[in-house]
Each structure stands twice: as C-alpha cells, then as structure tokens.
Amino acid sequence: MKIGLIGLFVLVVAASSLTFVVSAADKPHKKMTLAEKGEQARQESIELEQTQLQKAREAAKATSEREQKVLAKAQSNDWEAQQLEKARAQSDERLTRQQKYLQQAQDAAKQTRKIPKATTTAEPVLSE
C-alpha cells in the first residue's frame, strides 16, 4: 500500500515537472529580474504543492474506500462463518438424535416378547 502511494507521488512529481518544462518552453524568453523569477518560482511551487496535495487527498480517499470494502467483506465472512457453525451444530444435533432413536430401536428389537397364553379353552357352546 505504501509502495503504491510512493509510486503515485513519484508519478505526480514527474508529471508536474514535465508540465513545468513544457509550459516554460512555450513562454517567450524575456529577461526577468531576480525578484520576478523568485515570484514566478514561488507561484509555480504553490501550484505544484496544491496539485500534489489534491492528488494525495484523492489517493487517501481511494485507500480509505478500499479499506472499508475489505472490512465489509471481512464482516460478511464472519456472518458466513457463524451461519456455517450453526449449520454444523444443527447437523450434529440431528445425527445425535438419529443415533439415539437407532439405539432405542435396537434395544427394543433385542427384547423378547412373550404372548400370554389364554387360560380359557375354546369349548363349543351348547344351546338348549
């Protein structure tokens, strides 16, 4: 991130220098006094500084936006992780319940059941 910001700063300085050289070449060369040269240099320095500050602000804003996006994505991943954990817990609970029911069924199958014998015998009913 710092490397990108430094690269952007170097690019801004290079572009500003190139702009200065081109604009200086376009102006007719007249003899300027030392005070005029100083004033012109001061003005160009102020303009260059303002341009650099504006670009630095834009870069900082872009960086801030990227950080917000990354944080938002990280938070959504936390939500996804929570949902996955809930799903795992429900699955484990369901498997435990199934195991319990299967064990109960196996225990019930192991028990021997006796059908009670009828104590009365089947005798034909005589009608009178």
Side-chain angles (χ1 to χ4, degrees):
M1 187 177 292
K2 288 183 181 181
I3 294 173
L5 191 57
I6 292 171
L8 179 64
F9 182 73
V10 170
L11 182 64
V12 168
V13 171
S16 299
S17 299
L18 182 61
T19 303
F20 175 71
V21 170
V22 170
S23 66
D26 290 344
K27 296 179 183 176
H29 295 290
K30 75 170 197 174
K31 294 286 183 176
M32 293 176 35
T33 64
L34 193 54
E36 290 174 337
K37 287 181 181 179
E39 184 60 33
Q40 182 182 6
R42 214 176 351 267
Q43 289 297 325
E44 289 172 355
S45 174
I46 290 171
E47 290 173 7
L48 177 62
E49 183 180 355
Q50 291 300 318
T51 304
Q52 290 173 346
L53 285 173
Q54 182 61 33
K55 291 190 179 188
R57 284 185 196 113
E58 291 171 0
K61 183 179 177 184
T63 301
S64 176
E65 289 172 356
R66 282 194 307 271
E67 287 175 353
Q68 292 298 325
K69 286 180 183 177
V70 168
L71 287 174
K73 188 174 182 180
Q75 289 174 351
S76 69
N77 285 343
D78 290 342
W79 179 83
E80 288 178 24
Q82 290 173 352
Q83 295 303 312
L84 284 173
E85 186 58 35
K86 285 181 185 178
R88 283 189 191 111
Q90 289 174 349
S91 176
D92 291 344
E93 183 180 324
R94 190 171 36 256
L95 286 173
T96 303
R97 231 183 2 255
Q98 288 174 347
Q99 288 295 330
K100 181 178 110 180
Y101 295 149
L102 179 62
Q103 185 63 38
Q104 288 175 350
Q106 288 174 344
D107 290 344
K110 287 179 184 176
Q111 292 178 355
T112 56
R113 295 207 170 125
K114 295 181 181 177
I115 300 175
K117 293 183 179 179
T119 55
T120 60
T121 59
E123 295 179 8
V125 178
L126 300 172
S127 61
E128 289 183 25

